[in-house]
Amino acid sequence: MDGLVLTHGAGGDRDQHTLVAIAEGLAPLPVERVNFPYRNQGRRPPDRAPKLLAFLREEIPAIAARLGAEPDRLVLGGHSMGGRMCSMAVAEGMPAAGLVLLGYPLHPPKKPENLRTGHFPEIGVPCLFISGDRDPFGSPEEFDRHLPAIKGPVTTVWLKGERHSPIKSDAEIVAAVAGWLEGL
């Protein structure tokens, strides 16, 4: 594994405190924190999935080239929507060494019938899911029901008392990511 690429959630950007903490905590491992184009353009609502996925298909090979790495030696992921887009890109065939999914949005809050899991059976790489145990985007029980669809090995870390965007668990998150990456 030659590096980690992290993307942000719908309302965030590459400087979200947890993404920064991971990059700093994993040094000297190369960690690229990436803004989606709508963020760089100063827009709030995210682009639709096809546009975000097209961006990842262009950006990930460019990052790999900058790092002197093969794309399949990079771990991809991010917070919420960003992690979801990376998981969808990998399900569609983008090479990756694994996925780090922070606050994966299993479904919209209060809409558990609108699952965002249709691509799970196409994921064959190791996955690390880190979420608050009070996240309205998916409970531990809901994840237990849906994660077995993923073909690759899955590790889950539950942050006690945290919601969708953890505020007091950066050190725990960094430790979990570091430990998981060591096992790849």
Side-chain angles (χ1 to χ4, degrees), residues 79-139:
H79 182 255
S80 194
M81 177 204 75
R84 179 175 171 237
M85 290 303 113
C86 288
S87 73
M88 291 170 67
V90 168
E92 291 178 357
M94 177 176 286
L99 289 165
V100 171
L101 304 168
L102 311 166
Y104 184 88
L106 198 63
H107 58 71
K110 299 182 182 176
K111 295 183 180 179
E113 68 281 2
N114 293 355
L115 288 170
R116 297 166 172 160
T117 59
H119 65 290
F120 278 11
E122 305 307 316
I123 298 174
V125 300
C127 298
L128 172 63
F129 285 82
I130 301 176
S131 291
D133 65 358
R134 304 175 102 197
D135 191 337
F137 287 81
S139 69

Side-chain angles (χ1 to χ4, degrees), residues 130-177:
I130 301 176
S131 291
D133 65 358
R134 304 175 102 197
D135 191 337
F137 287 81
S139 69
E141 296 77 22
E142 290 171 312
F143 276 92
D144 286 347
R145 278 197 303 276
H146 298 288
L147 293 183
I150 295 173
K151 293 177 185 155
V154 174
T155 303
T156 55
V157 174
W158 296 104
L159 306 169
K160 188 165 178 54
E162 291 279 21
R163 296 185 59 77
H164 188 60
S165 296
I167 44 180
K168 61 185 187 311
S169 300
D170 283 355
E172 185 179 350
I173 292 167
V174 171
V177 172

